[in-house]
Amino acid sequence: MIYLLTLIAVASRFLPHPPNFACIGALGLFAGCYVAGRRAYLVPLLALAASDILGQMFAVSGLGFYRPEQMLFVYLGMAASVAIGRLGRRSNSAEQPSVSWQRFPLTVLAASTVFFVVSNVGVWLGPWYATNLSGLLSCFTAAIPFYGYTIAGDFFFAGAMFGAMELARSGAAAMPKPAIGTTGTIVR
């Protein structure tokens, strides 16, 4: 499922959407919850890199390569969503990983907020704002509309991804198991 979601995340960046209403952050939360080990960090970062590479190749506005120091902060903000996704898991380690729906709203809001702060520090360090407190406040003030879109997109896509996974799991668990006869054949 993670491979399909990664492809969808890459493709979604090419569809018309409000700025920052994207599913890469939600993909990071999802990978943090369900993908084991460090490779979870690769999921959103590779999706982001693949869409940036394709965006650069096809000259898609808003995608592609730009100031490396700002891209670094965007990628760091996305990587943080994986760590935050790990905090959104149910605490029972005996089970397979699953989302804690009680923590879900706070987890999504935290990922959106961390991305907002980290990525906008990168913008502030760029050439557009003075590198003082006034410039930082101006940068963050100008970015507030993007923050709203980030929150909306993260809630929408994370809800869809986590909901689909939990629904698929509950559907698979509810399916009747075939009985095995004494001769080893399946009895229906």
Side-chain angles (χ1 to χ4, degrees), residues 84-107:
I84 294 167
R86 296 221 188 281
L87 299 173
R89 283 192 232 180
R90 251 193 237 158
S91 58
N92 185 354
S93 60
E95 296 178 26
Q96 60 184 340
S98 64
V99 66
S100 166
W101 290 108
Q102 292 81 15
R103 288 188 220 134
F104 180 79
L106 187 56
T107 302

Side-chain angles (χ1 to χ4, degrees), residues 4 14 44 49 54 110 124 187:
L4 176 62
F14 293 91
L54 291 171
W124 172 62
V187 178

Side-chain angles (χ1 to χ4, degrees), residues 13 51-57 60 62-66 71 75:
R13 291 193 73 206
S51 57
D52 280 338
I53 290 167
L54 291 171
Q56 185 72 30
M57 287 172 45
V60 177
L63 297 176
F65 301 111
Y66 46 96
M71 287 185 73
Y75 280 68

Side-chain angles (χ1 to χ4, degrees), residues 29-119:
L29 287 168
F30 187 87
C33 183
Y34 294 108
V35 178
R38 289 186 214 145
R39 61 189 184 128
Y41 290 91
L42 292 176
V43 174
L45 296 179
L46 289 176
L48 190 58
S51 57
D52 280 338
I53 290 167
L54 291 171
Q56 185 72 30
M57 287 172 45
F58 296 107
V60 177
S61 177
L63 297 176
F65 301 111
Y66 46 96
R67 299 181 60 83
E69 60 276 5
Q70 290 173 339
M71 287 185 73
L72 173 66
F73 281 89
V74 168
Y75 280 68
L76 285 173
M78 281 300 151
S81 67
V82 175
I84 294 167
R86 296 221 188 281
L87 299 173
R89 283 192 232 180
R90 251 193 237 158
S91 58
N92 185 354
S93 60
E95 296 178 26
Q96 60 184 340
S98 64
V99 66
S100 166
W101 290 108
Q102 292 81 15
R103 288 188 220 134
F104 180 79
L106 187 56
T107 302
V108 174
L109 188 59
S112 300
T113 302
V114 168
F115 177 77
F116 173 78
V117 170
V118 171
S119 64

